[in-house]
Amino acid sequence: MAHSSMQSIAKEFPVKTGVDRKDRRELAKMLTKIIGSSHVLYAKIRGVHWNVVGPAFYSLHKMTEEQYEDLNEAIDDMAERIRAIGFQAPIGLSEMIENSVVKDQTKLLPANDMVKELVEDHDHVSRLLREGVAEAEAADDVKTADLLTERLGVHEEAAWMLRATIS
């Protein structure tokens, strides 16, 4: 039973950090795209982790586990950043997919093809992160720029490591 004293969830709240509200709103939209893309990539990486077979099984199984665990933490950090700058974090899978530059996985592919697709996905996210860093720097939001710069390095390294396994 709902209580009348129950608080509603704030979609936006005032923040006075020196970053203009309009800029913070645009950064929240960019972070939502990055979170959506990261969420779809997370799901695809899990799919590879569960389904990969062949000579590279063990290394890919371990590598993908490290990648999805890292992404899980990063998604949380970025959602909390949206809240810290005063806006609502994304909710639900449909919002994640809607905002993603990464295409959802719809069928099982051979291991090499799954890995090639993950490389492309990490590259897509890297390009989106570069846009986000530029946007955060232009708004003088150094914390968001730092967060996204760190993520950029992680995705570039993940793409490199996956690329090295392709036969």
Side-chain angles (χ1 to χ4, degrees):
M1 182 162 102
H3 292 57
S4 60
S5 64
M6 194 174 191
Q7 297 293 315
S8 63
I9 297 172
K11 289 188 177 194
E12 180 182 350
F13 54 94
V15 173
K16 294 181 170 78
T17 62
V19 178
D20 183 67
R21 178 187 175 275
K22 182 173 104 7
D23 291 337
R24 285 185 292 106
R25 186 178 60 233
E26 291 306 310
L27 285 170
K29 287 179 187 175
M30 173 57 78
L31 284 165
T32 296
K33 283 178 71 173
I34 294 167
I35 290 169
S37 302
S38 298
H39 221 293
V40 174
L41 179 56
Y42 170 89
K44 288 177 81 168
I45 292 170
R46 293 291 304 252
V48 172
H49 175 77
W50 293 324
N51 293 296
V52 70
V53 294
F57 165 78
Y58 186 76
S59 61
L60 283 172
H61 188 75
K62 283 295 189 193
M63 187 187 315
T64 54
E65 182 174 16
E66 289 170 10
Q67 288 184 11
Y68 73 69
E69 285 176 349
D70 170 75
L71 264 175
N72 184 54
E73 205 172 302
I75 290 165
D76 190 57
D77 290 345
M78 290 183 287
E80 289 174 357
R81 185 66 191 151
I82 291 174
R83 297 300 294 149
I85 63 174
F87 292 89
Q88 175 184 318
I91 57 169
L93 291 176
S94 60
E95 187 174 2
M96 302 295 179
I97 292 169
E98 217 172 87
N99 283 288
S100 180
V101 298
V102 175
K103 300 268 186 270
D104 192 19
Q105 191 75 44
T106 57
K107 64 182 180 179
L108 189 60
L109 301 172
N112 230 31
D113 293 341
M114 285 193 296
V115 172
K116 284 178 185 173
E117 198 165 303
L118 287 182
V119 168
E120 290 173 16
D121 294 338
H122 278 292
D123 288 345
H124 287 309
V125 173
S126 293
R127 287 191 295 276
L128 182 61
L129 285 163
R130 280 186 198 290
E131 290 175 34
V133 169
E135 200 172 298
E137 287 175 343
D140 203 25
D141 182 347
V142 294
K143 173 63 178 166
T144 301
D146 285 351
L147 176 66
L148 300 182
T149 299
E150 176 65 29
R151 293 306 311 155
L152 176 59
V154 171
H155 285 281
E156 289 176 339
E157 183 174 318
W160 160 61
M161 293 183 92
L162 286 166
R163 216 178 257 114
T165 70
I166 298 170
S167 51

